[in-house]
Amino acid sequence: MYFTTEPEGEPRLPFYTTVLCLVCVLILVVNGASLFHNLASLNGANAVQGKTVSVSDKLQKLNVLVMDAESNLRGYFLSGSDVYLGPMRTATAEVEPQFRELELLLADSPSQQKNLAQLRTLVWRKLDVLNQTIGVYREGGLADIARIAATDDSKADMDEIRLLMVIMAKEQNESMAAHRAAFYAEYQNAVILGIGINAAAILVILLFYRLIRSSFASRIVAQRALQHANENLESMVALRTDQLSVLSRHLIRLSEEEKSRLARELHDEMGANLTAISIDINGAADELRREHAHIAQRLDRARMTLITTVELKRRIVENLRPSLLDNLGLAAALQSYCEEFATVTGVDCEAMIEDGVDVAGPMHAIAVFRIVQEALNNVAKYAGARHVIVHLSRDGDGLALEVSDDGIGIDTDQAAKPKSHGLLGMRERALLLGGTLTVSRGVNDVGTSVEAWIPIEPKKNGAEAPGDASPGGAVPQLTMADASLSEPRPPAGGHTPSSPPCNTPRHIPPGLDGQLR
């Protein structure tokens, strides 16, 4: 595994990806500009068409006004009724507004402005002639009108007005046709540009598809590589976990062997030495008590210190490996330990030990004892319980153990923490013998329950099952000499009787070459 201390730069996209993004943006901008231009051209064409229609409508309305005024004026001449003068008045009032509107519509066309000025002159001249004929009619009557009509060329004026209107309409139509042709040309260019934009967009989409496909393939390859790496790591973690578990169980086994060996040596060698020292002190005190009483008192104090040392040795041996476990069995050891636990901590400890549990061998018995010991230590330290029950029973081919209390309980996350060495030690002891151990909340979430199941093989014909023999051997029962050191013997006749002599060989450590020196 390699590590680098160089600072990582800011992640950047590949250059071709940036180019594709810029091309996409450019295509979108060009497409938007083309659409805007086409919309403007379409609006212009529509405006020209609308203006042409408006000009045609205005010209047609002027023509109608003049023609209505002229035709109704004939009816006035024949009937003399003023009703026929209405169109004349209307034409006089509306002609000028129509011309002003036409000026606004044709403001961008000088030729049309010229034609419009000429048309205004002709129309107003025609209206003036009509007004003059009305005055002649009122003064001279119909006969004068007939003479004027015979000499006046009113038809030529109307033909000239109509011709000028046709010219203006034709010119407006030609302007509209020119704008339409320009719009169609621009539309063709826009279609060609749109086809090019679509082709470019399709090309960019294909490139993006290729890029996405390549990225997807790379991601799949990376995922597969990561999956293989995870599988390798998981197998490595499982292997290391198994190795650590085996190592932990081996250390537990070695620890128990070392404790057993140390307890045996302390009991055998140290116990024998302390017994010999006690016998020698008793004999010396008996000889010096009459003549040297103060020396005998000092020896008595030394003997009391020796008794304390023997008691300390017993506690150490019992902590290393309980003698009751090897001498009286698992049930008696657990019963005694629960009573001692209740006495020391003040917590009511009830031991419910069923029959048939003493068939377990030394390794199974010490494992159950250590699990109970650690569970009760946790109860005393953390649970804050008032009552604890230790239940051990025979369950088929194994031992079923349950230690439950009524304390504050334990969280599931806390039970799985790596620093919960006590719980891990109990679980490893159970796994060492092929069993299981679970830690959970008690009934109704009250307190903590430690449940363990350890398979056993019963003893056959007084022999231990294979693998059950204690590696270090069982701790022998305490000798009578140790018992004689437990309490000071009362003096008989004012002095302490001497003990029978006992010769203890002096312990000489072996030399570096393995021979005694």
Side-chain angles (χ1 to χ4, degrees), residues 48 172-184:
V48 171
Q172 191 65 30
N173 291 330
E174 290 177 352
S175 175
M176 184 181 69
H179 282 85
R180 183 180 299 171
F183 170 74
Y184 279 122

Side-chain angles (χ1 to χ4, degrees), residues 285-468:
D286 290 340
E287 293 177 0
L288 298 174
R289 195 171 301 281
R290 293 180 181 178
E291 297 179 359
H292 303 282
H294 61 286
I295 297 177
Q297 291 178 357
R298 295 175 63 183
L299 290 175
D300 289 337
R301 287 197 299 270
R303 184 175 179 276
M304 297 300 297
T305 304
L306 183 60
I307 293 173
T308 304
T309 305
V310 171
E311 293 297 329
L312 176 61
K313 185 265 296 183
R314 286 182 177 178
R315 290 198 301 271
I316 293 174
V317 170
E318 290 296 321
N319 289 332
L320 290 174
R321 186 174 181 90
S323 59
L324 289 177
L325 193 63
D326 297 310
N327 298 325
L328 300 180
L330 180 60
L334 290 179
Q335 189 73 39
S336 175
Y337 185 79
C338 290
E339 293 176 358
E340 182 181 357
F341 175 81
T343 302
V344 174
T345 62
V347 178
D348 185 15
C349 183
E350 181 181 357
M352 300 172 60
I353 313 299
E354 298 182 4
D355 297 334
V357 299
D358 288 331
V359 297
M363 287 298 294
H364 298 78
I366 191 63
V368 173
F369 184 84
R370 295 300 186 195
I371 292 174
V372 173
Q373 189 178 32
E374 183 64 32
L376 292 181
N377 287 338
N378 289 336
V379 171
K381 290 180 181 179
Y382 311 112
R386 294 178 298 178
H387 185 75
V388 59
I389 298 176
V390 178
H391 182 207
L392 180 63
S393 63
R394 181 73 181 273
D395 184 13
D397 295 335
L399 296 178
L401 172 67
E402 181 181 1
V403 181
S404 58
D405 62 77
D406 59 352
I408 60 177
I410 186 172
D411 295 333
T412 306
D413 296 338
Q414 185 178 0
K417 288 183 178 179
K419 293 185 178 181
S420 301
H421 302 298
L423 299 179
L424 292 177
M426 291 190 291
R427 185 173 291 109
E428 288 299 325
R429 288 183 182 275
L431 294 176
L432 176 61
L433 300 174
T436 59
L437 185 137
T438 58
V439 180
S440 60
R441 304 279 294 188
V443 180
N444 297 327
D445 285 340
V446 176
T448 305
S449 176
V450 178
E451 297 180 0
W453 184 84
I454 297 177
I456 60 172
E457 294 181 4
K459 298 177 182 179
K460 299 178 181 179
N461 299 327
E464 294 179 356
D468 286 343

Side-chain angles (χ1 to χ4, degrees), residues 163-378:
L163 179 61
L164 190 57
M165 288 184 178
V166 170
I167 292 173
M168 291 182 66
K170 182 179 180 181
E171 186 174 352
Q172 191 65 30
N173 291 330
E174 290 177 352
S175 175
M176 184 181 69
H179 282 85
R180 183 180 299 171
F183 170 74
Y184 279 122
E186 292 182 358
Y187 180 75
Q188 291 178 354
N189 295 331
V191 169
I192 295 174
L193 180 61
I195 294 175
I197 291 175
N198 291 334
I202 292 173
L203 179 61
V204 172
I205 290 174
L206 292 176
L207 292 176
F208 265 116
Y209 171 75
R210 183 178 179 182
L211 177 63
I212 293 172
R213 182 178 180 181
S214 176
S215 175
F216 180 76
S218 301
R219 187 178 64 180
I220 293 298
V221 172
Q223 287 180 352
R224 290 177 179 174
L226 182 60
Q227 183 178 1
H228 291 323
N230 289 335
E231 291 176 355
N232 293 334
L233 288 176
E234 288 177 358
S235 62
M236 185 179 298
V237 169
L239 178 61
R240 295 296 174 84
T241 303
D242 293 339
Q243 292 176 351
L244 292 176
S245 180
V246 171
L247 178 60
S248 174
R249 298 168 194 173
H250 178 65
L251 293 177
I252 291 174
R253 185 184 294 109
L254 290 181
S255 175
E256 291 298 333
E257 292 177 0
E258 185 65 20
K259 288 180 180 179
S260 178
R261 184 188 62 80
L262 185 57
R264 186 178 66 254
E265 291 181 358
L266 287 175
H267 181 272
D268 294 342
E269 298 185 13
M270 189 177 180
N273 292 337
L274 292 176
T275 302
I277 292 172
S278 176
I279 293 173
D280 292 339
I281 289 176
N282 288 334
D286 290 340
E287 293 177 0
L288 298 174
R289 195 171 301 281
R290 293 180 181 178
E291 297 179 359
H292 303 282
H294 61 286
I295 297 177
Q297 291 178 357
R298 295 175 63 183
L299 290 175
D300 289 337
R301 287 197 299 270
R303 184 175 179 276
M304 297 300 297
T305 304
L306 183 60
I307 293 173
T308 304
T309 305
V310 171
E311 293 297 329
L312 176 61
K313 185 265 296 183
R314 286 182 177 178
R315 290 198 301 271
I316 293 174
V317 170
E318 290 296 321
N319 289 332
L320 290 174
R321 186 174 181 90
S323 59
L324 289 177
L325 193 63
D326 297 310
N327 298 325
L328 300 180
L330 180 60
L334 290 179
Q335 189 73 39
S336 175
Y337 185 79
C338 290
E339 293 176 358
E340 182 181 357
F341 175 81
T343 302
V344 174
T345 62
V347 178
D348 185 15
C349 183
E350 181 181 357
M352 300 172 60
I353 313 299
E354 298 182 4
D355 297 334
V357 299
D358 288 331
V359 297
M363 287 298 294
H364 298 78
I366 191 63
V368 173
F369 184 84
R370 295 300 186 195
I371 292 174
V372 173
Q373 189 178 32
E374 183 64 32
L376 292 181
N377 287 338
N378 289 336

